[in-house]
Amino acid sequence: MNSGQAPLANAAAPPASRPDADVHARLQASQYREAFALLLPRYRDKVFRLSFSMLRNHSLAEDATQDIFLRVWRALPGYNAQAALSTWIYAISKNACLSELRKRRPLVSMDADDEFDGELAALGSIDADDSATVSVTQLLEQLPERYRQAVTLFYMEDQSYEQTAALLDMPLGTVKAMLHRARKKLIELTRETASA
Amino acid sequence: MTPMSPTESHDFDWSEQLLSWLDGDLDAAAAAAFTAHSAGCPRCQQQLRTLAALDVKLQAALPRISLDENFDHAVYARIDAMDESQRRAARQRAEQELQDNLRSLSSSWRRTLGLVIPGVIAGIALALALTGFLNDAGVAQATAQGAQGLGSALAGTLPLLLTGLVGATIGGIVARWLIAE
């Protein structure tokens, strides 16, 4: 075992030199449990936010996140490090959420948007003092799905373009352009509702 | 094509600049140009206020949700349950394999004995028939006379030993042939 590796106690802080080098070292030594113990706290919240941005429901996203990490655990011995660990985990996450959406769509298609609106309202205390405009959740509701997901992740990830781009597996420039368009659209919608 | 209104023209020129300025993506010269413009532009100032308000609302509506260690415990519990069921399935498979092997070995022995015994009996019967034939041909008497030179005890048992040896050899060959079949 490489003596320069970070100890398990520092699981949330990957070495700066190469992302997830400590996880890769454990995987090469077939220490899957140890590798998993490092990656779980590191990716738990990101996967959860990504799931929430797609499923739009807190408890569904939490259940999906559990399932995703079980899939990661099962697939870990087969991970060949051709893609970055984060890309691999996010790809598993997106596939799992898409499966979940496909499974649920026939049942909840009519209510999904209302549920999302309610979920967002429950997540943050929205200032309702501006009676001239509708709530931001209603405005978000009117954005195309891709923009809405990008906006959701951007604000949940501390307004980091890099993190949002990594989670969506999109180039940084694309994410910036999407968020610019989303903001402009939100402002347009604000004006439209104010003038209506 | 309809010409752009002054407002549209303004937004076309400055809207992207404004967003890039907010993101800190403008170089020093472009940032200075935008700052100079926006200082005297009521529309840009209005847009900045609107964006700032939107930002605050989005931040409030989309907080940094997270999971705690209870989530990790739940994941590990499911992994352990999954691993335990896999181990149990592996144990069952190994046990089943062992039982199958034992059954197969036992049935193989029964089959072997079932073929060897009739084979040896058939061989002895053939040997007895051969001995009778040799007696009739006078070969046995010549052998007994030769054996008398070795000793009277051996002379009595030599034909029996020869019969047994020939019978076992023929029986073994017949049994092997039957097993191979």
Side-chain angles (χ1 to χ4, degrees):
Chain A
M1 183 71 61
N2 184 353
S3 59
Q5 285 166 353
L8 280 176
N10 292 333
S17 56
R18 182 191 169 200
D20 299 312
D22 49 352
V23 178
H24 288 286
R26 260 74 169 183
L27 289 176
Q28 276 178 351
S30 298
Q31 294 172 340
Y32 301 115
R33 187 95 181 184
E34 289 81 356
F36 190 79
L38 288 168
L39 70 83
L40 177 61
R42 200 172 292 166
Y43 287 100
R44 180 182 62 203
D45 291 338
K46 292 185 185 305
V47 168
F48 178 46
R49 289 174 201 135
L50 180 62
S51 301
F52 180 82
S53 77
M54 291 179 77
L55 299 173
R56 310 183 217 159
N57 177 291
H58 195 280
S59 62
L60 267 185
E62 188 170 339
D63 290 347
T65 307
Q66 268 197 27
D67 291 339
I68 287 162
F69 278 104
L70 288 182
R71 286 185 191 205
V72 167
W73 167 253
R74 278 197 293 258
L76 212 47
Y79 169 64
N80 57 13
Q82 278 183 344
L85 185 68
S86 56
T87 308
W88 183 69
I89 291 175
Y90 299 151
I92 291 176
S93 307
K94 274 179 246 180
N95 286 336
C97 289
L98 286 173
S99 303
E100 187 64 28
L101 283 172
R102 272 194 291 271
K103 219 162 48 180
R104 292 184 173 269
R105 186 153 287 154
L107 300 173
V108 297
S109 61
M110 300 300 289
D111 302 329
D113 288 346
D114 293 342
E115 202 173 343
F116 179 49
D117 204 25
E119 283 287 334
L120 287 180
L123 282 171
S125 55
I126 297 157
D127 189 1
D129 62 348
D130 192 354
S131 56
T133 58
V134 293
S135 76
V136 72
T137 57
Q138 285 171 299
L139 295 179
L140 268 176
E141 195 59 28
Q142 295 176 54
L143 287 182
E145 175 61 33
R146 274 162 49 112
Y147 290 3
R148 184 165 55 190
Q149 195 188 354
V151 169
T152 305
L153 281 174
F154 178 71
Y155 282 93
M156 284 186 168
E157 286 296 331
D158 265 356
Q159 301 180 54
S160 161
Y161 286 113
E162 288 80 7
Q163 290 294 344
T164 308
L167 283 159
L168 293 172
D169 194 23
M170 284 179 183
L172 192 62
T174 307
V175 169
K176 281 190 175 183
M178 271 171 63
L179 284 162
H180 279 196
R181 287 193 204 112
R183 282 205 200 101
K184 280 168 78 172
K185 183 75 182 162
L186 284 170
I187 290 171
E188 277 170 26
L189 290 168
T190 309
R191 287 208 194 101
E192 281 170 19
T193 45
S195 62
Chain B
M1 192 168 161
T2 318
M4 282 195 285
S5 69
T7 307
E8 285 171 336
S9 174
H10 168 276
D11 287 352
F12 183 79
D13 290 339
W14 292 105
S15 188
E16 287 292 330
Q17 297 285 85
L18 185 149
L19 288 165
S20 298
W21 180 77
L22 277 177
D23 288 339
D25 282 347
L26 294 181
D27 59 32
F34 175 76
T35 310
H37 163 80
S38 66
C41 174
R43 182 156 178 82
C44 280
Q45 286 170 18
Q46 170 63 31
Q47 281 193 345
L48 282 169
R49 279 196 298 276
T50 309
L51 274 168
L54 178 69
D55 216 37
V56 169
K57 285 184 177 181
L58 284 168
Q59 277 173 19
L62 300 166
R64 202 173 157 79
I65 54 172
S66 58
L67 296 165
D68 57 20
E69 286 178 359
N70 289 331
F71 173 84
D72 293 5
H73 296 322
V75 170
Y76 279 118
R78 285 184 66 183
I79 284 175
D80 290 341
M82 192 169 72
D83 288 353
E84 178 52 38
S85 72
Q86 279 173 349
R87 276 196 293 272
R88 203 179 309 127
R91 272 200 302 274
Q92 277 174 352
R93 271 199 305 276
E95 208 162 292
Q96 184 66 39
E97 221 164 87
L98 181 68
Q99 292 297 333
D100 289 348
N101 284 341
L102 285 173
R103 259 197 301 277
S104 152
L105 194 64
S106 158
S107 103
S108 165
W109 266 106
R110 276 201 303 275
R111 183 167 173 266
T112 302
L113 285 174
L115 293 171
V116 165
I117 291 168
V120 169
I121 291 169
I124 289 171
L126 279 170
L128 287 170
L130 182 64
T131 307
F133 170 75
L134 292 175
N135 274 339
D136 292 346
V139 176
Q141 283 172 350
T143 308
Q145 281 168 2
Q148 272 174 353
L150 298 171
S152 59
L154 189 60
T157 53
L158 186 62
L160 193 63
L161 282 172
L162 282 173
T163 304
L165 186 65
V166 172
T169 307
I170 295 172
I173 291 167
V174 171
R176 194 168 295 171
W177 174 71
L178 287 172
I179 290 165
E181 286 294 303

